[in-house]
Amino acid sequence: MLLREHGLLFLCMLAACLAGIATRPIAFMATFWPANGLLLGLMLRNPVWSKTPLAWLSAWLGFVAADALTGAALERNLVINAINLVEVLAGWLFLVRQGPATLGFRRQRSVLVILVGCVIAATTGALLGSLSRDLFFSASGWQTFIIWESGELYNLILCLPVVLAAPRGWFWQWRWRRVLRPLGKLWGLPLLALLASEAAAFALQGPGALVFAVPALVWCAMLYGVFLVSLLNLLVGLWSTATLVLLGLSLTPEQLLDAVSFRVGVALLSLAPLAVATAHALHAQALQILHRAVNHDFLTGALSRRALMERGAQQLQRLQRESAPVAVLMFDMDYFKQVNDRWGHAQGDSVLQQFAQLIQHNLRPGELFGRIGGEEFALLLPHATHAGAQAVSERLCAQLREHRFTTEGGDEFSVTMSVGLHAGTPADTPYTMSELLARADAALYHAKTTGRNRVQAFDAAVMAPLRHGEISA
């Protein structure tokens, strides 16, 4: 770690501890202690830090400095912050084995695994705290244990998901407009529902007020994503705590059962929106993968033939209304069979992938590139005249000729392609995608039978539109 990173870690822990100390009742534990959850999350997200003893020392010094600045006795300061560090280490030892996908909320079991890690960490801290209670509290061993356990469970479950789900980098490096984008426009309604729920809970009070916000949080979970939902969980938990403390709840042994029940309740209730957000994100990801699999060629990433035909038909309708020109190019690599025969099909697949990347690199917004089959591809150019389409074709042919393909053995080779072109105006001649492809197909066939490595435009006087599939390899 760089010295700057050690300094930032120290300052983060110092600030988090001071914030927690500000909520500490006289002679008892803090009402809210974010430092342990923050440190655990940072160590899980930065494996290099967790393997650097000096990083743990920097964090611990932040804990110690905060207590020293607020006048804590030296022995109490060193012992309680050693307990904090061991608690975080216990949670880290369990959670670090779960893998980045689980910790990044990309697995269905993520929330349950993180809950188990929080329980392990909280129990470790509670056991050590109860054994050292004479340094801190006048409460009995079991009272210290249960207060410490419930308090740390509350702190960790509210804080750790925020850190794990946060964008990369320090918070001042985040792209806040992107982070907060889901809250804009109509998507702000769930947030308004959450505020209304909390207002109703504050007005009505009573034992059921704690769950008033759950439906609104679930709604938020379906739209806002894991990070914003974990942040809302934290804010709702803190608001609920502040409200009940103002109403007379004491988070000390004097109101032991009420304090434990409230903290555990808030912690466990926050898991439901988090689980919904995780499940919804996984569902959206699965749909995205399925959509790509259906609409894109698995090898090259180009549009599938079906997707090209459907999207092309939509483009043609729009261009017809605008009386705008359109062009279609058909590509076929020359003597591609020789590549497969000489270097194998794996090398042939690599050629197709690199060829598709070359074309896609040149695409402009609105242009559609798809794989028709084998080594045959098509490109739809909206608003392109014949001259413009000819220039695009020549440029792409030149780029492919200059591109060097490399075999596994280190041999280099190049390939060429033939291009069939047809351009027109849908308003003058109402083409369908099939008709456009048939004309470009005929031009491609002519290019391949008259020398290859050339661009050929469709000429109705000498060419008849082909049905797709009539071109020989």
Side-chain angles (χ1 to χ4, degrees):
M1 288 177 62
L2 300 174
L3 181 62
R4 174 176 175 271
E5 292 178 313
H6 285 296
L8 286 173
L9 183 58
F10 169 83
L11 292 175
C12 281
M13 292 304 104
L14 176 64
C17 290
L18 289 175
I21 290 171
T23 70
R24 181 184 292 166
I26 297 175
F28 212 74
M29 296 177 62
T31 301
F32 176 62
W33 184 258
N36 292 4
L38 175 61
L39 178 58
L40 179 54
L42 289 175
M43 290 301 183
L44 289 170
R45 291 199 56 166
N46 298 276
V48 174
W49 293 9
S50 62
K51 297 175 183 177
T52 307
L54 192 56
W56 291 95
L57 178 61
S58 298
W60 184 69
L61 289 175
F63 281 81
V64 172
D67 269 329
L69 288 173
T70 53
L74 180 61
E75 183 180 12
R76 182 185 188 280
N77 184 346
L78 296 178
V79 172
I80 196 169
N81 288 311
I83 293 173
N84 284 328
L85 203 65
V86 173
E87 174 187 314
V88 172
L89 182 60
W92 177 84
L93 288 172
F94 171 78
L95 290 172
V96 75
R97 302 166 187 260
Q98 308 307 316
T102 299
L103 298 179
F105 296 94
R106 298 192 298 274
R107 293 288 185 271
Q108 195 69 48
R109 65 178 184 275
S110 293
V111 175
L112 179 60
V113 169
I114 289 171
L115 170 62
V116 173
C118 291
V119 170
I120 291 172
T123 302
T124 301
L127 284 171
L128 295 175
S130 62
L131 293 175
S132 309
R133 68 186 186 279
D134 292 339
L135 289 173
F136 316 124
F137 320 121
S138 58
S140 64
W142 77 270
Q143 288 178 322
T144 301
F145 175 84
I146 197 169
I147 283 284
W148 199 308
E149 171 83 10
S150 62
E152 283 306 295
L153 194 62
Y154 165 90
N155 294 324
L156 290 170
I157 289 178
L158 289 182
C159 294
L160 181 58
V162 177
V163 184
L164 293 179
R168 292 181 179 274
W170 298 97
F171 69 89
W172 57 82
Q173 298 172 326
W174 296 349
R175 297 179 179 179
W176 283 100
R177 181 175 297 179
R178 184 176 179 180
V179 171
L180 300 177
R181 185 182 301 163
L183 300 179
K185 298 181 180 179
L186 184 62
W187 302 118
L189 290 177
L191 185 59
L192 293 176
L194 180 60
L195 294 174
S197 300
E198 286 301 316
F202 182 78
L204 298 177
Q205 301 179 19
L210 184 62
V211 299
F212 280 18
V214 172
L217 281 171
V218 170
W219 190 11
C220 292
M222 297 172 66
L223 297 175
Y224 292 165
V226 176
F227 172 62
L228 286 181
V229 167
S230 62
L231 190 59
L232 289 174
N233 276 338
L234 173 61
L235 295 176
V236 168
L238 293 179
W239 167 255
S240 300
T241 303
T243 300
L244 287 184
V245 168
L246 288 175
L247 293 174
L249 177 66
S250 173
L251 302 177
T252 62
E254 285 72 23
Q255 291 182 283
L256 178 65
L257 295 181
D258 289 340
V260 170
S261 175
F262 170 74
R263 279 178 155 169
V264 173
V266 169
L268 297 182
L269 280 174
S270 71
L271 297 178
L274 201 57
V276 171
T278 301
H280 194 268
L282 292 174
H283 180 257
Q285 183 183 28
L287 287 179
Q288 185 178 14
I289 293 172
L290 179 61
H291 182 269
R292 180 166 183 81
V294 169
N295 292 288
H296 291 79
D297 174 58
F298 76 98
L299 178 65
T300 64
L303 290 173
S304 66
R305 186 180 188 280
R306 183 187 66 81
L308 177 66
M309 299 296 286
E310 290 179 354
R311 298 184 188 183
Q314 295 171 358
Q315 284 269 34
L316 289 179
Q317 290 177 1
R318 180 176 59 82
L319 293 169
Q320 185 174 3
R321 292 193 300 268
E322 297 173 358
S323 296
V326 65
V328 169
L329 310 180
M330 292 280 286
F331 308 117
D332 195 312
M333 275 178 280
D334 300 326
Y335 306 110
F336 182 74
K337 186 174 182 297
Q338 295 180 8
V339 176
N340 287 328
D341 292 343
R342 183 173 181 182
W343 288 293
H345 287 279
Q347 184 64 55
D349 288 347
S350 177
V351 169
L352 291 174
Q353 289 171 334
Q354 293 181 56
F355 168 75
Q357 290 171 4
L358 183 150
I359 301 297
Q360 290 165 337
H361 181 72
N362 285 274
L363 291 182
R364 296 177 299 179
E367 297 178 345
L368 302 177
F369 173 63
R371 186 181 182 186
I372 303 301
E375 68 274 19
E376 191 176 55
F377 297 81
L379 176 61
L380 179 71
L381 302 174
H383 302 284
T385 62
H386 181 279
Q390 182 80 25
V392 170
S393 302
E394 297 289 356
R395 184 178 74 250
L396 293 175
C397 284
Q399 289 183 9
L400 182 61
R401 281 193 297 268
E402 295 168 1
H403 184 81
R404 307 302 295 177
F405 297 92
T406 305
T407 67
E408 291 184 357
D411 297 327
E412 290 188 349
F413 65 96
S414 61
V415 298
T416 61
M417 68 177 173
S418 301
V419 182
L421 180 159
H422 179 62
T425 303
D428 298 334
T429 306
Y431 296 119
T432 65
M433 271 300 292
S434 296
E435 290 168 339
L436 280 175
L437 289 174
R439 285 165 172 76
D441 222 354
L444 175 61
Y445 179 78
H446 193 270
K448 292 180 73 68
T449 56
T450 56
R452 303 179 190 254
N453 187 24
R454 57 191 297 267
V455 179
Q456 174 65 56
F458 177 75
D459 185 351
V462 296
M463 303 174 196
L466 295 178
R467 296 189 305 275
H468 175 69
E470 293 182 352
I471 296 177
S472 62

